[in-house]
Amino acid sequence: MKTLKNYINGKWADIEGDSYIDVENPSTGEIIARSPLTSRAEADHAIETAHAAYLSWKNVPVARRVAPLFKLLSLLQENEEKISRTLVEEMGKSLPDARAEMKRIFENIEVACGMPVLQQGNKLIGCSFDMDGEIIRLPLGVFGMIAPFNFPAMVPFWFLPYAIASGNTFIVKASRQVPCTMNLITEYIDKAGLPPGVFTLLNGDRAIADAFMEHPLIRGVSLVGSTKTCYEVAKKCAANGKRFQAMGGAKNHLIVMPDARLSNTIRNLITSCYGCAGQRCMAASVIVCVGDDTYRTICDEFVKASRKVIVTNPLDPKVADEEMVMGPVISAKAKRFILDMIETGVQEGARLLLDGRGLAVPGYEKGHFVGCTVFADVKPGMQIHRTEIFGPVVCIMKVTNLDEAIKIINDHEYGNGASIYTQNGFYVRKFKIETNAGMLGVNVGIPAPVAYLPFGGMKNSQLADIKAQGKAVINFYTEDKIITERFWEEEG
Amino acid sequence: MKTLKNYINGKWADIEGDSYIDVENPSTGEIIARSPLTSRAEADHAIETAHAAYLSWKNVPVARRVAPLFKLLSLLQENEEKISRTLVEEMGKSLPDARAEMKRIFENIEVACGMPVLQQGNKLIGCSFDMDGEIIRLPLGVFGMIAPFNFPAMVPFWFLPYAIASGNTFIVKASRQVPCTMNLITEYIDKAGLPPGVFTLLNGDRAIADAFMEHPLIRGVSLVGSTKTCYEVAKKCAANGKRFQAMGGAKNHLIVMPDARLSNTIRNLITSCYGCAGQRCMAASVIVCVGDDTYRTICDEFVKASRKVIVTNPLDPKVADEEMVMGPVISAKAKRFILDMIETGVQEGARLLLDGRGLAVPGYEKGHFVGCTVFADVKPGMQIHRTEIFGPVVCIMKVTNLDEAIKIINDHEYGNGASIYTQNGFYVRKFKIETNAGMLGVNVGIPAPVAYLPFGGMKNSQLADIKAQGKAVINFYTEDKIITERFWEEEG
Amino acid sequence: MKTLKNYINGKWADIEGDSYIDVENPSTGEIIARSPLTSRAEADHAIETAHAAYLSWKNVPVARRVAPLFKLLSLLQENEEKISRTLVEEMGKSLPDARAEMKRIFENIEVACGMPVLQQGNKLIGCSFDMDGEIIRLPLGVFGMIAPFNFPAMVPFWFLPYAIASGNTFIVKASRQVPCTMNLITEYIDKAGLPPGVFTLLNGDRAIADAFMEHPLIRGVSLVGSTKTCYEVAKKCAANGKRFQAMGGAKNHLIVMPDARLSNTIRNLITSCYGCAGQRCMAASVIVCVGDDTYRTICDEFVKASRKVIVTNPLDPKVADEEMVMGPVISAKAKRFILDMIETGVQEGARLLLDGRGLAVPGYEKGHFVGCTVFADVKPGMQIHRTEIFGPVVCIMKVTNLDEAIKIINDHEYGNGASIYTQNGFYVRKFKIETNAGMLGVNVGIPAPVAYLPFGGMKNSQLADIKAQGKAVINFYTEDKIITERFWEEEG
Amino acid sequence: MKTLKNYINGKWADIEGDSYIDVENPSTGEIIARSPLTSRAEADHAIETAHAAYLSWKNVPVARRVAPLFKLLSLLQENEEKISRTLVEEMGKSLPDARAEMKRIFENIEVACGMPVLQQGNKLIGCSFDMDGEIIRLPLGVFGMIAPFNFPAMVPFWFLPYAIASGNTFIVKASRQVPCTMNLITEYIDKAGLPPGVFTLLNGDRAIADAFMEHPLIRGVSLVGSTKTCYEVAKKCAANGKRFQAMGGAKNHLIVMPDARLSNTIRNLITSCYGCAGQRCMAASVIVCVGDDTYRTICDEFVKASRKVIVTNPLDPKVADEEMVMGPVISAKAKRFILDMIETGVQEGARLLLDGRGLAVPGYEKGHFVGCTVFADVKPGMQIHRTEIFGPVVCIMKVTNLDEAIKIINDHEYGNGASIYTQNGFYVRKFKIETNAGMLGVNVGIPAPVAYLPFGGMKNSQLADIKAQGKAVINFYTEDKIITERFWEEEG
């Protein structure tokens, strides 16, 4: 069993004292590592170290700041498989899903490598007579990032490479439940050639988050977590004059139009609903069928396909070649919550087409498995529709037309992702313009944008003016200075 | 005496009840108008009206949304002199300053007229095989704006034309003390051809601001006010999931290097320090001299030039042709505060080179005049250096080199504007990169950027990720939807 | 009968000598004006005058350079109807078409008014240690523009406002056949407040074009004309180190898919094919039907609808309220060419469904009218398919699938516009990506982009790297200087 | 002795027949390789192969197209020293100069790796009612590139990575005199994972250039060569409807102001004038001194410093640690031309302060060495000032003020680079705005922009509307399609 360490000022560091938390393999229930509970004082110290590093890092030309990112990209690509397996072991997602997570990391580094172009400001000759205007875009200082358990490696990279490339220094608080992957990645960051203090890894809990929100040297905080935590971060950061990007809960709807291509659509729905055992913030959990026929067909076919999903430990060699494997949910606690929600759905009158409770996975009896679960006849008022269940539980709803489908989405508290299945351009345009969700898919089940475009939701799914990832995130990590300049005339 | 009205849903509207506040001419003490105190219920109603207007305005093509702005621009240009005089009468700034305020309004409208270009999103063919990515930039809803007394007409236009052109609807809370100019401008907005409810004007106080921060249909709030109010707006908006742009206090430093061109510099300093009687958020109030000689010369020459400033009612026909006229401060209360601060400066040991207290302006004995006031030997610890006095009170400080000068600025709570006077490119570059203020000038006393560039400060001078004005403010008024799109293959 | 003049250095000027050409009303055959034949020496002189104006115009701040454009916009809007009627009288297009031409002029001025934003270059702090990079975008000098007869007013405005706003000076050679409208517009330009020499209007022929291509002070030439002339301009400009934008011939195809909405589509096809009597460079002249049923239906319905088009003098009061009026073609010579092409079509075996020859328009017997003409069974090899007829002659073709339809377009010499009629997103995407034409429409008959987007074709329809109109045309009218800057360290 | 091969369709290929040219080491006169003379038929075949590759490469998503570039970057970085030494051996530049050339290659690849961001087009929702506009940026086809001898590796990379990343295929014609480096680099390209035909290397002469300009499948040609060749390329490409970027001759001036920092300036001048033995297109060859004192001092100090330059074979182990080593010029023919020009200078009355003729380098008697040569009293009319000598021959001129200095530059046929030495911001601004050269330096001797900014000159130094390198070059390698799209309303 491995004992994790913090990475501060370019060195691996033990915490003082002896507060650790166990890291569990959710497929087997085994304890695979222990992670230190960093104290507030240690977090504060790390922030000060990162700030000291910032003072010289900001003056390194941007082209030199991206050089270590190119190096890191190579290192991570070479070790993709090792990191992916670590991720599966501690998180429970399937190996293909872990590899997909790695790919998105690579992409984000690639985009941030374009910083010498992205960070250019503007120059206007003649903003008035003999006077010029300039916008220069400079880094701000130390930024903190709080990682979630579901994408413990990818999510930090929505921010990290951009923050660093633009001249800031960056601290990741690893996921408390799933810290090993980010710790392993830090080993490669350590080899990439960044000066000490430019990147910092902290393990632990609340104390680190508090330090991020309160320490005066932190200039901004990024969080992917619950909507409740998002509001807390937003309020504290606003009160302390800090920037924030806070991504919260989601309940993603997929609209199926009568002209949707059935077999393609079903395959897509399955991947979206059950990938990561429904624990993706971009996972679909509500299927909205337009018209009676669509509803009937989708109910039948989706349940049929759901039954074929293999639920087991994704590292079990027997499933190595299977296309659709679903692992456990993250913890016993999470499992309990999901089972309770299924019971709630039954109580409030939804029709349980497929029941994932009581699933036993031979050989992995201590794993936190929940089987695929499907409800039909779900209505907007119901708790299973209002709540983000974060498990393999799917609600199917029926409406008579696209307007009604969009209304259901727009009335919902969350607005992260949404998709439509149709070949019809008119419906597509209406869906794009009227649906209040930040990331939209057309015949795409998980409309998570590539790293060349921003990532972010609306309403209670994201509290922030600036989204993550892509070329626009540079606005979060730089501040514009606007300069008005002239020189008095000299002779000659 | 005129009674002002609100402008709601395309109509001028009286308030219910009879709560009004007096509007005073600060040069004469006369009451020139009364302004209604809009109730919370009336404000809420106006917001709902603006939201109803939004629902159709957002679907008007952007090219048609800018047509009324072109029309408004013509109307305001034709009536520039009338509006300028109204502004002088109620605010007390000089007529050239009022005209300059109008020019900046025109500029901002002009930039917003470019919205059909600025609001374009992105399209990436082939974000994956047979799959495309799009960013589309759509408006959000109703935005509120709280106007300050010092630029009661210009500041709303840092936001208004952009908000409207991009498809939002917009409510201005006029300055409580200086509402007449914005009310007059609204008469021209009324003629510009906007659909009812797209623009709303409300007069009054706190109740409107509360409605902006609390009503669920308000999507964002812009404020120019005290830093204390900024923090309040920031916290409430964050707690309620609203966007905000909050511009607060300032204490702007001008650095004079030994090689500065003396006569140009002095002329510049005078305009910067005493324009609007020192009530500009971009006004300089601290002159930092590098080197003994510079310090001695600036003290002498600046005081000499300060004595020549004519202080009187700017509309007095006798001063129509004078270059540098300084009017009153905004109110008796403001005057008392300024006089107290002068006394404080004397108490804490600064050397009073010129004393503006006790000034009598013949013919305008009820006006709130304060004469030009200059302190030398000011030190960073002093209250007159820490406090935004918002009056014609100037602090002169001495340092031995540029690094010290920059340190004084960077250690200050505020970071709005700052300027350097030098011909030397090395000092200019150092100043630009190291000085923590949002708007920097090089041989420019009031480095307020033209409307083609953003406007905003740092530290406690601005709480917001996105600055006002210019092409970037579009980020505040639109939300990106990111779309991932494909279509299943058809035959042929 | 009016005698036109040149407009040089801010003054109306007669030519020396007595060479004039007649301007005819093509609906009536009347001579309505005479236009001077400017000599090469006069053209050279005008160029030198324009260059002298450039030397100070380039130093006027960009914000001041757009002020006259705002003024011009107002003037043209106020006189829209007068200008439109002049245009109809000399060109023969319908009044609604003339008004649409005016609208596009307004749009282009509006976009160019955004020049203070569009002309901003870039600034990169830290391109190396202590070194910064800048891109500044400066104007080049004098540009010439050769106007076509079909859009004698709009086409110059694809260039004029951008050239002037960015600091160049600009010379229009008015259309030889249709000069009156541009001459009338110049009267308003004269009132807009541009300094003398910034805008120049020349009337005449070949000598002016030669001056543009040969005079060393001309920095670039824009032409809309025949492909033959385009190649001549391209070669001469390249040989003389000048920039060029040369828009040539077109043969625009509309693809009708089986799922197209019939009634909407037919209405669209009629407008596209017969507007301006088929003399638009964006006019459709080939309808490609996918599938037998589509072909049969389109043939029937399109001929039916074609018969309803009213052909007469568009200024005849009797047709003031008619929706679809078609005027004459531009000249007797043009008419002869069109009639010859119809005969050729018959000879080469196309099936003449509707014959527009021999049309008599009572009351306008001297007008150059050709009736709506429709060929079916047109094959790719035929001359009526290969040739730009520039008259109301429509070819209908049949293919079995979209791939074949696209191949027909891609094999054609021209690639200006093309459209598809379908609701199906898959076909739309394939059409967009694979069709080699510069401007594409989806359910849009005349896919001429709004002024916020570029305008330009591919293959022999446009010879130039940079398209006209919109934000990108700024690249044609400015040259980037790239600056690498540092200053040696000074003390302090 | 190595025999070079072509690289066509992913394979190394011998030419048919037996036409080869010798490659010489200019430091020793040894023949180090022989390079095939590709025939026109072979070039045509390679173009067709590249076009076939284009047809599938264009459909590869842009993110996948940059993956091989990341790989190539790693490979070239790992083999930097080996490639650098090859370059020194065949070209004669110093090892530090060769390494600097490699660094610029890396930079250009890095920028092109940002293509997924750079190639994004635009999307405007609501360009009219229910209608949207799009700009999509698609590749064009096969591009050809003709490499010069002075930067035989770097110059192709101003184009290559951008062309390929944006979806085109690319053919380099290696420098005839200096082909080995590009051939070695192709070995790494071969390992980078590009599909066959995406990159092609051809060795030889005129026949390849003709194929580029004439073959209908070539869409654009990039050339760095003589101005005469540039005009030929421009004319042929224009006549054949091809794009072109043609960089020609240069004569770069450095202005020294009286306040310039002497020791820094002299060090800078030496590097700029003698690096690559004066064979850089960005090399300075004219020093313009403002004022008598400046002139006298610069003449003295520059000659003193010139005498210290070590001239020898740069690979001689004895000079491994020397800072400033100058190698031979490229060939016996080039040497003769330079010696003739020196004689011309003497004849036309310039004062020869330092004579580089008759230099003997012990141990390398067959090398083509020319010593540092300095002329004073050079006047604008002289041939040594008008001609690009491309050798270590420096002209010093005297003027009385900056205006005169700028006039000398602006009157010159070429306008590639120019620099000013001063600390004064006023002079810097005037220099930037008024000097007609594409690349400007401030206290920078070789103002070649980093790859994040464009590269290109003015006047006879560059014939093209679009510069090389940086984010703007994407305009050369893509064509915009502009789409106007709507869908007819469907129910619901």
Side-chain angles (χ1 to χ4, degrees), chain D residues 170-191:
Chain D
F170 197 76
I171 306 178
V172 170
K173 176 200 162 302
S175 160
R176 197 178 52 83
Q177 291 171 290
V178 186
C180 298
T181 313
M182 195 62 216
N183 276 264
L184 177 54
I185 285 175
T186 301
E187 291 183 20
Y188 303 110
I189 294 177
D190 183 49
K191 290 175 186 149

Side-chain angles (χ1 to χ4, degrees), chain A residues 51-68:
Chain A
H51 186 259
Y54 162 70
L55 295 177
S56 50
W57 182 240
K58 72 187 170 80
N59 293 326
V60 174
V62 57
R64 308 235 179 168
R65 290 196 304 246
V66 297

Side-chain angles (χ1 to χ4, degrees), chain A residues 63 70 73-74 110 116-117 120 130-132 402-403 424-427 429 452 471 487-492, chain D residues 63 70 73-74 110 116-117 120 130-132 402-403 424-427 429 452 487-492:
Chain A
F70 277 96
L73 179 61
S74 290
E110 288 176 20
V117 169
Q120 292 179 19
D130 300 320
M131 210 180 269
D132 305 326
L402 179 56
D403 288 336
N424 185 298
F426 177 80
Y427 292 134
R429 183 180 197 265
Y452 326 117
K471 68 180 168 177
F487 292 95
W488 312 117
E489 185 153 12
E490 305 271 1
E491 275 173 39
Chain D
F70 278 96
L73 179 61
S74 291
E110 287 175 20
V117 169
Q120 291 179 20
D130 301 320
M131 211 180 269
D132 305 326
L402 179 56
D403 288 335
N424 185 296
F426 177 79
Y427 292 133
R429 183 180 196 267
Y452 325 116
F487 291 96
W488 312 116
E489 184 153 13
E490 305 270 2
E491 275 173 39

